[in-house]
Amino acid sequence: MSAYLTSLRAIVTREALRFIHQRERFIAALVRPLIWLLVFAAGFRAALGLSIIPPYQTYITYETYIVPGLCGMILLFNGMQSSLSLVYDREMGSMKLLLTSPLPRWWLLFCKLLGSTIISVLQAYAFLAIAAAFGITMPAIGYVTVLPALVVAGVMLGALGLLLSSFIKQLENFAGVMNFVIFPMFFLSSALYPLWKMAESSELLYTICALNPFTHAVELIRFALYASFNGPAFLWTVLVTIMFTAAALWGYNPARTGISRRG
């Protein structure tokens, strides 16, 4: 057990130190959602009228509506950033060294996933604090109840990053694959507009958005910010997390990757 805990502490600490030494990564993670919150929201406010939908009990501003989606954006981009770091580690050889340790491969990948999730959650809270400074606040209890939702959503998106990193062999291929994943997941979701708006436009787009796991992660965060529990969103997010994790473990299987424990 001490070996497991030592590896957990070492990997999480390494992820934290890497993040601390890359200050521009922290700034970039906050600039993207703040641009949407403070710039784009001003233009979309008049174009997108919002009805009273759960978990809201009254009419809300567009800025308030998109805060959960922008928290999801932070988790999504950080999950993809962790995927990039895994590809880089594999090219540099440190990933091979990690995976050839005597500990189970699933535990090592879990430690990487946990480290990236912790960083994602801290970034999301930093964004919520900045949003509150601009007057976009949530119920006080919501800042506590949203923590489990952020963790569940962060693990799901981190598992997606793990899965993608198992198939991306070179850094040069990263940008194309990430754009193919990030932008469809983000824009075809309820992050920026409610699903009933998509249904008014196209039934096909509505179906795609309803099946998008990122939509359910955003809705889980949205309800949690108002101290409500969205059971279907939680179950769908957990199910997809299990699928992504199982696929990532298969992707890092020694028989497929050619990385054996003997090195």
Side-chain angles (χ1 to χ4, degrees):
M1 181 58 68
S2 61
Y4 282 79
L5 294 179
T6 300
S7 64
L8 174 62
R9 183 175 65 251
I11 293 175
V12 171
T13 301
R14 181 175 183 269
E15 291 296 313
L17 290 175
R18 171 183 284 178
F19 179 74
I20 291 172
H21 293 155
Q22 297 174 344
R23 295 182 180 87
E24 65 279 1
R25 178 179 167 187
F26 176 75
I27 296 174
L30 295 179
V31 166
R32 281 187 295 262
L34 285 175
I35 289 177
W36 277 101
L37 185 65
L38 303 177
V39 179
F40 287 94
F44 284 120
R45 186 188 304 123
L48 292 174
L50 297 176
S51 62
I52 302 176
I53 56 175
Y56 309 111
Q57 302 299 322
T58 182
Y59 288 101
I60 58 171
T61 63
Y62 181 68
E63 290 88 341
T64 301
Y65 175 82
I66 64 173
V67 163
L70 297 180
C71 287
M73 171 194 276
I74 293 173
L75 301 178
L76 175 62
F77 275 83
N78 197 72
M80 299 306 105
Q81 188 71 28
S82 65
S83 174
L84 173 61
S85 68
L86 286 170
V87 176
Y88 178 81
D89 287 345
R90 185 167 55 223
E91 284 203 348
M92 295 299 102
S94 57
M95 190 65 181
K96 181 177 180 180
L97 181 64
L98 173 67
L99 294 179
T100 53
S101 72
L103 292 172
R105 183 164 297 206
W106 65 266
W107 175 254
L108 300 172
L109 294 176
F110 167 77
C111 293
K112 294 281 290 185
L113 179 58
L114 180 61
S116 66
T117 301
I118 291 174
I119 293 172
S120 297
V121 171
L122 292 177
Q123 287 177 309
Y125 269 108
F127 168 73
L128 289 173
I130 296 175
F134 282 96
I136 307 169
T137 59
M138 308 295 157
I141 189 63
Y143 293 102
V144 177
T145 56
V146 76
L147 177 58
L150 290 173
V151 171
V152 172
V155 170
M156 184 195 78
L157 297 170
L160 174 61
L162 273 180
L163 173 60
L164 293 174
S165 68
S166 68
F167 293 98
I168 302 175
K169 302 303 180 185
Q170 296 178 331
L171 288 173
E172 291 79 4
N173 301 330
F174 182 83
V177 174
M178 292 303 99
N179 290 335
F180 182 75
V181 173
I182 289 177
F183 292 111
M185 284 194 74
F186 181 69
F187 288 108
L188 292 175
S189 72
S190 61
L192 301 178
Y193 22 72
L195 291 184
W196 64 266
K197 277 288 186 182
M198 298 301 296
E200 288 182 351
S201 174
S202 168
E203 194 65 32
L204 175 60
L205 285 179
Y206 169 78
T207 302
I208 295 174
C209 292
L211 294 176
N212 183 358
F214 185 69
T215 292
H216 296 275
V218 169
E219 292 306 307
L220 184 64
I221 296 171
R222 188 186 312 281
F223 276 73
L225 280 171
Y226 288 83
S228 298
F229 178 68
N230 190 325
F234 173 77
L235 292 176
W236 185 249
T237 304
V238 170
L239 176 62
V240 173
T241 300
I242 294 173
M243 294 170 56
F244 285 161
T245 304
L249 290 176
W250 175 83
Y252 277 100
N253 189 304
R256 199 189 75 84
T257 61
I259 302 177
S260 66
R261 289 195 178 279
R262 298 178 181 176

